[in-house]
Amino acid sequence: MKKTMRKSALLSSVAMLIVSAIVLTSATYAWFSSSKVVAVEELAAAGELTLQADLVLNSSFTVKEDLTINLNGYEIVNKTSFVDTDNTTNCYAIVAESGVLNIYGPGKVAAMGGSQYDITVWAQGGTVNIYGGEYTNLGIENNGSDCIYSSMGGKVNIYGGTFSCGNINTKDYAQPQYSVLNEKGNNQNTIFVYGGTFVNFNPADNYSENPRRNFCAEGYYSYESAENVWTVAKL
C-alpha cells in the first residue's frame, strides 16, 4: 500500500488534452476536429462518449460527474509525465474524482509516461466500473506505478477486461510485485473483482495490502488460466 499521496495541479479544472484526428461522438458532442484542444470538463460533461479514433492525452482525463466511455476498439493513452511538488515524476490516464465512471471495451487505456508513478485508472473519490478493455502502464522499474488505484473514498468494480503492469514495483510492498491493483492505506476494501484477466498478478492472493489481499468479490475466485495469468470467475 502506498504511504504517500501524489496530487498535482495537473488534475485541476484547467487541465487540457489534445485530440488527434476525429476522436469521439456522444449525445452532446458530435465530433472534434484534428488537433483541437478541448477542456477535460467539456468531454466529461457529455455524459456518454464513444471513441471513433485513438485519444492521445497530454494530461490526465479527469472525471467529476457521471460518465460512460465506450472505447469502441480504440485507445486512450497518456504518454506525458510531469514533476509533482514532491519531485516525483507522474503520469495518469484517467482520474475519477467524483460521480460514476463506466468503461466498456473492447479497446485500451494506458499510462505510458515511463514515470515513477504511472497510474492507468485512479478512483480518486469517484466510483469506477470496468466492463472490458485492456488496461496497462509503463512506469520505471522498482518504483510505485499502479494499473488500477483507489483513494480518498474512491471505489472500483471490475467485471471484465485484461490488466497488467509494465514493470515490477519494489517500492511499496513487502514483496516485489507487479502492482496491478492497489488501495491507499486508508481506503481499504474499495476494489472488488467480479471478472477479468490479470497478468503477473493474482487478485485473490497478492502483496498489494498488508495483510495479503483478496480483491475477489464474495462468491468469486481466481484460477491460473495461463502461466502467470489469473482469471476471475464465479464460484
Side-chain angles (χ1 to χ4, degrees), residues 166-201:
N167 278 304
I168 289 178
N169 182 338
T170 61
K171 183 178 177 62
D172 298 299
Y173 307 113
Q175 297 290 330
Q177 69 166 15
Y178 290 90
S179 183
V180 177
L181 304 177
N182 185 26
E183 300 166 336
K184 185 171 173 60
N186 61 1
N187 203 66
Q188 295 293 289
N189 300 311
T190 54
I191 296 178
F192 298 94
V193 180
Y194 299 85
T197 299
F198 301 80
V199 180
N200 293 315
F201 184 89

Side-chain angles (χ1 to χ4, degrees), residues 142-165:
N142 300 330
N143 278 271
S145 293
D146 303 315
C147 182
I148 308 296
Y149 183 48
S150 66
S151 71
M152 299 176 66
K155 298 179 180 179
V156 179
N157 300 302
I158 296 174
Y159 300 95
T162 301
F163 304 84
S164 65
C165 283

Side-chain angles (χ1 to χ4, degrees), residues 69-89:
I69 298 175
N70 183 352
L71 297 173
N72 196 32
Y74 295 102
E75 178 177 299
I76 297 175
V77 59
N78 189 2
K79 299 179 181 180
T80 304
S81 62
F82 65 95
V83 179
D84 209 342
T85 54
D86 60 359
N87 290 322
T88 60
T89 56

Side-chain angles (χ1 to χ4, degrees), residues 105-121:
K108 184 176 182 179
V109 181
M112 305 298 285
S115 72
Q116 290 171 272
Y117 297 100
D118 277 19
I119 298 177
T120 308
V121 178

Side-chain angles (χ1 to χ4, degrees), residues 2-42:
K2 287 192 167 46
K3 297 180 180 179
T4 60
M5 184 72 184
R6 285 90 56 197
K7 199 80 165 130
S8 169
L10 204 60
L11 304 181
S12 69
S13 61
V14 297
M16 306 293 284
L17 58 83
I18 293 179
V19 180
S20 60
I22 297 175
V23 172
L24 52 86
T25 60
S26 71
T28 304
Y29 295 96
W31 58 271
F32 291 98
S33 61
S34 177
S35 299
K36 182 175 180 180
V37 178
V38 294
V40 168
E41 286 73 16
E42 289 184 61

